């Protein structure tokens, strides 16, 4: 599942270091409490979650870049 | 640019420790007050970077000194070189970059760039957002060395070399010329995301200042 992040997440992600060239490894928490580790963000704007789920951008409440 | 060292400055260099076998990394202060980091070889020659030394000296071991003398003559022939007031050996621990750290860049020690160093970044995005509107790089941005980047001929080749999880060919090349003393960490890309890695990776710890990034090649996808 891949979706384009709202600009407020892009702004936050650009303030964080990359995990490799052009991507960041992130954990994502949703409003309903579900959490997805090992998600990826490309160019600070495209979120990719391995699981095959339906997701709207406004369901995301937290994105944390992995150390 | 290769140039010879004056006798006075030669004695100054010989009174200071080496940074490594046969060379010193020096902070050069020009008469104008400008400062620049240079490589001093055998207390006799000055160069902007190791790549200049390799280019001038060639690959054969013989006649290296003669080749450097010739390169220095060519530099002088191109116009008067700015006079150097002093040469001071900088701290070796930060200034000397030995063979790349074999682990990932994230675990490497911090080092500093030298004048003339060039880096490349390969991106699947033409509007790579880690490149600022002022043509700098944001802190914590990854790139590779020019030498390693030269091995990448297609966007597809960048994917396994830099273990990119995004399999879209990284066709957009950005060229980075940071000023000397830009802090970086350099290592080798580790296998990840079902990709082998093996390329050189560089992290610009504090980013790179405005005006240091330009567009490079647009690579074919395959």
């Amino acid at each position: 599942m891949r979706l384009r992040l709202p600009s407020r997440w892009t702004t936050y992600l650009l303030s964080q270091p990359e995990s490799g060239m052009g991507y960041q490894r992130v954990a994502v928490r949703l409003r309903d409490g579900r959490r997805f580790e090992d998600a990826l963000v490309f160019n600070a704007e495209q979120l990719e979650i391995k699981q095959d789920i339906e997701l709207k951008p406004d369901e995301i409440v937290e994105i944390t870049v992995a150390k | 640019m290769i140039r010879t060292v004056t006798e006075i400055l030669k004695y100054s260099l010989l009174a200071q420790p080496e940074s490594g076998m046969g060379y010193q990394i020096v902070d050069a202060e020009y008469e104008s007050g400008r400062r620049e980091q240079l490589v001093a070889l055998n207390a006799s020659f000055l160069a902007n970077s190791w790549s200049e030394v390799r280019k001038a000296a060639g690959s054969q071991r013989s006649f290296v000194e003669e080749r450097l003398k010739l390169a220095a003559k060519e530099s002088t022939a191109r116009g008067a070189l700015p006079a150097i007031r002093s040469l001071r050996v900088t701290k070796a621990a930060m200034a000397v970059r030995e063979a790349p750290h074999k682990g990932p860049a994230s675990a490497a020690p911090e080092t500093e760039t030298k004048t003339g160093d060039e880096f490349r970044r390969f991106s699947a995005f033409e509007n790579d957002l880690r490149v600022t509107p002022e043509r700098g790089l944001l802190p914590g941005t990854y790139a590779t060395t020019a030498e390693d980047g030269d091995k990448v001929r297609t966007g597809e080749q960048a994917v396994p070399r830099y273990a990119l999880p995004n399999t879209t060919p990284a066709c957009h090349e950005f060229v980075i010329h940071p000023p000397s003393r830009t802090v970086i960490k350099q290592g080798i890309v580790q296998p990840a995301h079902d990709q082998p890695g093996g390329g050189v990776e560089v992290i610009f710890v504090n980013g790179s200042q405005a005006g240091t990034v330009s567009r490079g090649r647009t690579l074919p996808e395959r």
Side-chain angles (χ1 to χ4, degrees):
Chain A
M1 190 283 308
R2 201 187 269 208
L3 67 78
R4 191 182 179 94
L5 290 168
S7 59
R8 66 187 179 98
W9 289 119
T10 295
T11 302
Y12 163 69
L13 287 162
L14 289 175
S15 74
Q16 301 298 303
E18 289 187 307
S19 306
M21 201 184 297
Y23 70 93
Q24 290 160 302
R25 259 183 237 104
V26 299
V28 178
R29 187 165 62 84
L30 304 185
R31 200 183 305 280
D32 64 8
R34 280 184 294 166
R35 194 176 164 85
F36 298 96
E37 310 287 344
D38 295 330
L40 293 165
V41 176
F42 305 121
N43 201 34
E45 61 184 8
Q46 290 188 11
L47 171 67
E48 183 178 273
I49 293 180
K50 284 182 235 180
Q51 290 82 352
D52 186 16
I53 60 167
E54 296 278 335
L55 179 61
K56 292 198 183 78
D58 61 5
E59 292 178 66
I60 299 170
V61 296
E62 185 180 58
I63 298 179
T64 313
V65 175
K67 289 276 182 265
Chain B
M1 182 277 311
I2 305 280
R3 60 187 294 173
T4 51
V5 175
T6 62
E7 284 298 301
I8 291 177
L9 289 175
K10 178 180 283 189
Y11 288 116
S12 164
L13 286 172
L14 290 172
Q16 299 179 68
E18 287 191 316
S19 304
M21 199 181 297
Y23 69 91
Q24 293 159 301
I25 307 297
V26 296
D27 183 41
E29 186 182 356
Y30 293 91
E31 292 292 350
S32 63
R34 185 171 69 88
R35 304 182 90 100
E36 187 175 30
Q37 192 169 63
L38 301 174
V39 178
L41 294 166
N42 198 31
S44 302
F45 300 98
L46 293 170
N48 285 100
S49 65
W50 283 112
S51 59
E52 274 190 358
V53 173
R54 282 192 289 271
K55 195 173 155 192
S59 56
Q60 294 178 359
R61 280 182 236 156
S62 53
F63 307 117
V64 167
E65 190 165 355
E66 280 72 20
R67 290 208 194 95
L68 289 172
K69 277 184 188 163
L70 183 60
K73 263 193 189 161
E74 286 168 2
S75 297
T76 310
R78 284 197 283 274
L81 296 172
I84 295 177
R85 182 185 297 159
S86 69
L87 295 171
R88 185 180 55 84
V89 173
T90 58
K91 282 185 193 172
M94 281 293 280
V96 171
R97 204 167 335 133
E98 305 294 350
H101 179 74
K102 291 210 170 14
S106 56
E110 289 185 356
T111 58
E112 291 179 333
T113 59
K114 293 190 291 292
T115 304
D117 278 351
E118 181 181 298
F119 301 86
R120 311 275 177 80
R121 176 173 166 88
F122 295 99
S123 179
F125 299 86
E126 191 172 6
N127 69 327
D128 190 308
L129 297 179
R130 301 297 298 197
V131 178
T132 67
E134 297 77 29
R135 297 193 301 113
L137 283 185
L138 292 172
T141 297
Y142 275 72
T144 185
T145 59
E147 189 179 9
D148 201 77
D150 278 344
K151 298 182 174 117
V152 176
R153 300 299 171 92
T154 70
E156 270 190 356
Q157 286 177 351
V159 173
R161 190 171 189 85
Y162 304 112
L164 303 182
N166 184 4
T167 53
T168 304
C171 298
H172 302 286
E173 181 189 58
F174 296 86
V175 181
I176 307 141
H177 288 113
S180 61
R181 300 197 163 164
T182 298
V183 178
I184 59 170
K185 294 166 79 165
Q186 181 168 324
I188 301 297
V189 180
Q190 303 298 298
H193 314 292
D194 297 321
Q195 306 288 355
V200 174
E201 62 180 10
V202 169
I203 302 173
F204 280 83
V205 176
N206 303 317
S208 184
Q209 67 185 46
T212 57
V213 183
S214 58
R215 275 306 306 268
R217 300 168 291 166
T218 300
L219 302 175
E221 284 193 4
R222 56 184 66 85

